[in-house]
Amino acid sequence: MSTLRTVEDLLKDGYELKWQEEFEGDSLNRRDWNVELHEPGWVNKEWQEYVDSEENIRVRDGLLHLIPVEKIDQDGNRSYTSGRVTTQGKRDFTYGYFECRAKVPAGKGYLPAFWLMATDEDVYGQWPKCGEIDIMEVLGDQTCKLHGTMHYGEPHEQSQGCYEVEEQDNFADNFHVFACEWVPGKITWYVDGIKYHEETCWFSARPGEEKLPYPAPFNQNFYIILNLAVGGEWVGYPDETTSFEDQEYVIDYVRVYQKTKY
């Protein structure tokens, strides 16, 4: 099933580099990125509060750092903050080849992600009808295993592929390139140019109505999200083994390639 995909292949296939973020300078490029603010438990019963703080979102040496922070008050109560940035309303895309080079934190309860969400969820309806493309998720206590997933439909359905590496190549100690090619009627996931999942079957529906014409909902503008969750229903929660020292989600770059016509 493995098929190596390179930048040279993309260019030969008619792709052009349409947008890139190299995280240069010493602060987040707010012309292209939003910082989202959310309370603990906003989704998936996660523990972190998403905040706009240099403590949690930092750009240095050509890298974006999303940093989890644990705080313990005088009564021993623990709280957590982290970072979530998006391109919604600033850099939105319909179709393309999306990639980032990154490494993830290690520890029970960490869930870093590189993913796409519909810019306007009212086009086909709120999640999951609007669709979601998860290009990369790696559970912090399983750092040799990559998940690529799409969510859609009502009732909710998903399609997920996984890719595992040897311990010496794990996703926490090494940078890897995570990518997704999204074209009309097909979505394909890659890691380091290796294809590991493909999907062509999905649907979208509104309550009481027939399914909308294929390839809805994956035929509208989506935006990019980079975030680091702390705890949640799927990943589990930090425990005594989880370290908050030197554990970060580090992103080297994000690049989007597109064709002139699809």
Side-chain angles (χ1 to χ4, degrees):
M1 185 178 179
S2 296
T3 304
L4 197 63
R5 189 80 155 135
T6 67
V7 172
E8 289 74 17
D9 293 329
L10 292 176
L11 299 179
K12 289 178 182 177
D13 287 347
Y15 281 94
E16 298 178 3
L17 180 61
K18 290 296 185 180
W19 178 73
Q20 64 189 113
E21 176 61 80
E22 304 294 332
F23 299 111
E24 298 173 345
D26 57 7
S27 62
L28 186 69
N29 172 15
R30 303 282 178 134
R31 295 184 302 277
D32 289 347
W33 294 97
N34 312 294
V35 175
E36 287 197 357
L37 308 178
H38 296 290
E39 295 297 315
W42 170 61
V43 291
N44 304 324
K45 298 183 180 178
E46 296 169 6
W47 280 358
Q48 84 290 328
E49 176 184 5
Y50 284 123
V51 298
D52 187 352
S53 168
E54 282 276 327
E55 191 175 28
N56 301 99
I57 303 172
R58 194 174 303 160
V59 175
R60 63 171 185 264
D61 300 325
L63 301 169
L64 170 65
H65 301 255
L66 299 182
I67 306 166
V69 175
E70 179 186 55
K71 297 181 179 179
I72 306 174
D73 66 19
Q74 60 184 8
D75 297 321
N77 298 310
R78 298 173 186 269
S79 61
Y80 304 88
T81 56
S82 189
R84 176 180 170 118
V85 300
T86 84
T87 65
Q88 185 176 19
K90 296 178 177 179
R91 296 288 181 177
D92 304 276
F93 309 90
T94 300
Y95 307 129
Y97 188 90
F98 302 80
E99 71 172 16
C100 82
R101 182 175 182 266
K103 66 178 182 177
V104 305
K108 178 68 174 177
Y110 289 137
L111 184 59
F114 167 45
W115 53 301
L116 308 177
M117 270 289 292
T119 297
D120 183 357
E121 292 189 37
D122 290 332
V123 172
Y124 293 122
Q126 296 296 304
W127 191 94
K129 293 188 294 296
C130 63
E132 173 183 329
I133 304 171
D134 300 325
I135 303 172
M136 179 276 285
E137 291 178 296
V138 176
L139 280 65
D141 60 345
Q142 299 178 32
T143 59
C144 289
K145 187 174 185 179
L146 164 67
H147 301 265
T149 314
M150 63 184 292
H151 300 269
Y152 60 92
E154 188 177 55
H156 170 230
E157 292 194 21
Q158 70 177 44
S159 173
Q160 185 177 83
C162 297
Y163 186 85
E164 296 193 42
V165 296
E166 298 296 329
E167 177 60 36
Q168 66 269 19
D169 296 321
N170 75 83
F171 297 109
D173 292 333
N174 306 276
F175 280 94
H176 291 266
V177 177
F178 307 97
C180 176
E181 184 174 19
W182 165 33
V183 298
K186 184 168 69 172
I187 301 174
T188 309
W189 286 256
Y190 299 86
V191 57
D192 300 324
I194 300 170
K195 173 183 172 180
Y196 69 94
H197 186 50
E198 178 180 289
E199 186 58 76
T200 59
C201 183
W202 60 76
F203 65 88
S204 184
R206 296 176 187 269
E209 298 181 6
E210 294 183 0
K211 294 178 181 178
L212 296 171
Y214 183 85
F218 298 106
N219 59 351
Q220 60 177 315
N221 265 351
F222 277 62
Y223 64 95
I224 297 169
I225 306 173
L226 298 167
N227 72 287
L228 174 57
V230 180
E233 295 175 297
W234 179 37
V235 69
Y237 296 91
D239 59 20
E240 66 279 358
T241 69
T242 306
S243 172
F244 284 83
E245 299 295 327
D246 300 319
Q247 293 300 327
E248 305 176 356
Y249 178 20
V250 184
I251 301 96
D252 182 17
Y253 63 74
V254 178
R255 296 172 184 164
V256 180
Y257 298 81
Q258 287 187 311
K259 296 182 179 182
T260 302
K261 294 182 180 179
Y262 288 92

